[in-house]
Amino acid sequence: MQSTVTPTHCPYCALQCGMNLTPAPDGTVEVSERTDFPVNRGALCGKGRTSAAVLASNVRLTSPLVRDEGGTLVPASWDEALEKIAAGLGRTRAEHGPDAVGVFGGGGLTNEKAYTLGKFARVVLGTSQIDYNGRFCMSSAAAAGIKAFGLDRGLPFPLEDIPKSGCVILVGSNLAETMPPSLRFFTELRENGGTLIVIDPRRTKTAEQADLHLAPRPGTDLALALGLLHLVIAEGRVDEEYVRERTAGWEDARAAAMAHWPEYVERITGVSVPQLRETVRLFCEPESAMVLTARGPEQQSKGTDTVGAWINLCLATGRAGRPLSGYGCLTGQGNGQGGREHGQKADQLPGYRKLDDPAARAHVAEVWGVDPDSLPGPGRSAYELLDALGTDIRSLLLMASNPVVSAPRAAHIEERIRSLDFLAVCDVVLSETAALADVVLPVTQWAEETGTTTNLEGRVLLRRRAITPPEGIRSDLEVLHELAARLGVKKGFPTDPEEVFEELRRASAGGAADYSGITYRRLAEENGVFWPCPAAVEAADTSEDALPDGEAPAVHPGTPRLFLDRFATPDGRARFVPVSHRAIAEEPDEEYPVLLTTGRVVAQYQSGAQTRRVAELNAAAPGPFVELHPRLAARLGAAEGDPVAVVSRRGRAVAPARITNAIRPDTVFMPFHWPGEGRANTLTNPALDPTSRMPEFKACAVRLEAVER
């Protein structure tokens, strides 16, 4: 084992906090502060501090597992496990065609692994059926950003700009629990005289930090944004010069907003007209301001339009593409940004290229050494792919995801997974989904491998290998290399991550997410590089022949701040998109009179597959709960800690009551980290946004029932 201190990054959320890892003589790994990384400046949340606990051999998988004739997963050799996977995928492809084989990835995979997984699906398997759990993260914000700006990057500016802004509206984010080290930027905002407005149906720990907290009814963020824009127009606060010079489509968006007068919006949202007016005043009076969204407005069946309405508010007030201003999305998963940029997403090729674009197909096919016509077209989105398991899709290769816990309508998805002819899972632990597999492969973790991730700012980072993995553990890149060879493709799937990244650079060159100017050396020396970063600075003539003797082409510095000169549209103008309020897919009624919304708690992460194996985190958050208002609890006859059943049209979940005034009386909240009878996603609605294909996790109709124990 190495004994040196290795600077690297946390394996969890999209902050990708910097940390140092030091192997200890007893085989454990010490996590310590790394103050040189500007995103967290040494601060770590409980998940980050305890992240090395999952590296222990008594927590993680240490041998391949194969299901025997009796239906039990038993240890097996790597050769046996790989042969079984190749045979299972190959048999399905031969009998039912390539699209009968599915691939499902994860937002925790490095850029190198996400890139290789997409290439494996399209080149080796020939399937169009690939997507990833990042679809459940920020796909609505991505779709809205592309419509408005021509480009999707979570934040178009560094986090360090937030404290210098005049006002920030934070929509549907409880970052005090989901990414605690980022809270300091908002604390500094207020210390500098700026204003923080938090919009959330619950009075969360984040909302407690706000100057103004608005608590709209879940699923009404679209109406709220339109009501604010209506007031901006009515009060003469539109930046007419900016709108004229830097945007297009204003008149239609203006007309749509004017149909949402304040009293109408108050009836829909529950936010009072005085609060609406105060929000507009606080947002418009400073010289600079930002709107940041998270899963609250995005995980809706109208998520794209909802984010679009908040972008329209920024554009109308001249708050996009200007210093210390703009719209941004707070990405959730560790590599949710990079994971979709380079080929895991059903409709995208590396470099954020569209799969149905002939030029994009030709470019990537040349890098891959294949015929462009051999590449399949776009496939199903994440939920649609999972819903097709066992019918159109007969076999599945799954990496770094746990949809049995994380997918909407989870009991149904569990049934679909059980109905597969063949399931192979690569993971570091035996998740609830891995426990259903025919073959499970134990793979290396973040501290045992080198690779890149892209954080919520669009900052590409280098995670460094700090320790040697246990004997018998292989990397996802080695798995894909071995499977490709067994399925007839001997070349093109290297196992060295830097070699993969060099190919990714070429594949992304000229694309929207251009990484061609980024190298491992630069990432190590510069503490990350913001994309887009082409191979050289554009100039009239940057060919080496045109340069003076001994002078190299200029190195592109990366792009920390987007859109300051022009937007990424053909004419450089941002696009207003006219949108109007519409109801959620499933409104409450007599049978299901209450709204359910879901989210996270500080001590657990996503489906909890890893964090639920850490004693310190389980002590802080041991299990699910139902958060409800005292008036709702009184009608139910429930006391603190009593078991409560939450029932939707899709199923039933039971968890202890947590009674608080911090939630609306018409709403209950459940965290989604746990399986079993407290599984929140048993209840959630898979109604999809028509553009982003995001399910409506954030609002569905339920009823409550008392449970006797």
Side-chain angles (χ1 to χ4, degrees), residues 89-107:
L89 301 181
R91 182 169 56 251
T92 296
R93 185 177 60 175
E95 294 177 359
H96 302 285
D99 277 356
V101 182
V103 176
F104 199 84

Side-chain angles (χ1 to χ4, degrees), residues 198-236:
V198 172
I199 298 172
D200 198 301
R202 306 163 60 221
R203 187 164 181 81
T204 63
K205 292 181 180 179
T206 307
E208 290 173 354
Q209 307 299 313
D211 297 284
L212 178 63
H213 171 219
L214 310 182
R217 185 172 179 266
T220 63
D221 309 271
L222 174 54
L224 180 60
L226 287 163
L228 296 175
L229 182 53
H230 176 110
L231 285 171
V232 165
I233 298 166
E235 294 177 4

Side-chain angles (χ1 to χ4, degrees), residues 219-252:
T220 63
D221 309 271
L222 174 54
L224 180 60
L226 287 163
L228 296 175
L229 182 53
H230 176 110
L231 285 171
V232 165
I233 298 166
E235 294 177 4
R237 297 182 184 270
V238 175
D239 188 332
E240 300 286 358
E241 181 180 0
Y242 174 94
V243 168
R244 183 172 58 254
E245 294 183 356
R246 298 205 60 188
T247 72
W250 167 234
E251 290 305 320
D252 288 342

Side-chain angles (χ1 to χ4, degrees), residues 478-518:
E478 290 173 310
V479 168
L480 294 172
H481 171 86
E482 292 288 344
L483 290 177
R486 284 169 166 79
L487 290 166
V489 181
K490 305 290 186 182
K491 296 181 179 180
F493 290 87
T495 60
D496 177 66
E498 188 168 7
E499 186 177 348
V500 175
F501 190 78
E502 289 300 306
E503 182 178 302
L504 183 157
R505 292 176 62 202
R506 290 187 285 117
S508 73
D514 191 335
Y515 284 29
S516 61
I518 303 174

Side-chain angles (χ1 to χ4, degrees), residues 111 114-123 127-132 134-135 138-147 150-153 335-357 360-361 364-365 368 375-381 507-508 511-513 515 531 691-692:
N111 290 318
Y115 170 84
T116 304
L117 186 62
K119 181 180 179 181
F120 178 85
R122 295 175 174 111
V123 173
T127 182
S128 66
Q129 301 304 303
I130 175 173
D131 211 78
Y132 83 127
R135 175 79 67 171
M138 56 178 290
S139 57
S140 293
I146 290 171
K147 284 185 177 184
L151 182 69
D152 155 45
R153 196 181 84 184
N335 198 31
Q337 181 75 49
R340 71 180 180 283
E341 291 169 4
H342 299 301
Q344 278 190 106
K345 201 158 169 273
D347 58 349
Q348 287 179 188
L349 288 168
Y352 224 135
R353 288 181 160 89
K354 299 297 289 182
L355 191 52
D356 56 5
D357 176 1
R361 293 169 66 87
V364 174
W368 288 352
L375 298 178
R380 291 176 173 87
S381 71
S508 73
Y515 284 29
W531 71 262
T691 303
S692 68

Side-chain angles (χ1 to χ4, degrees), residues 242-308:
Y242 174 94
V243 168
R244 183 172 58 254
E245 294 183 356
R246 298 205 60 188
T247 72
W250 167 234
E251 290 305 320
D252 288 342
R254 181 185 187 281
M258 291 309 291
H260 298 77
W261 59 95
E263 292 76 14
Y264 171 59
V265 169
E266 180 182 71
R267 289 198 301 271
I268 293 171
T269 65
V271 177
S272 70
V273 173
Q275 283 185 311
L276 295 174
R277 294 189 184 279
E278 179 66 358
T279 301
V280 168
R281 184 187 71 80
L282 292 173
F283 184 69
C284 291
E285 286 188 352
E287 184 177 343
S288 58
M290 300 174 177
V291 172
L292 305 177
T293 66
R295 306 302 81 74
E298 297 163 19
Q299 287 182 327
Q300 299 183 28
S301 60
K302 51 186 175 180
T304 303
D305 283 358
T306 301
V307 174

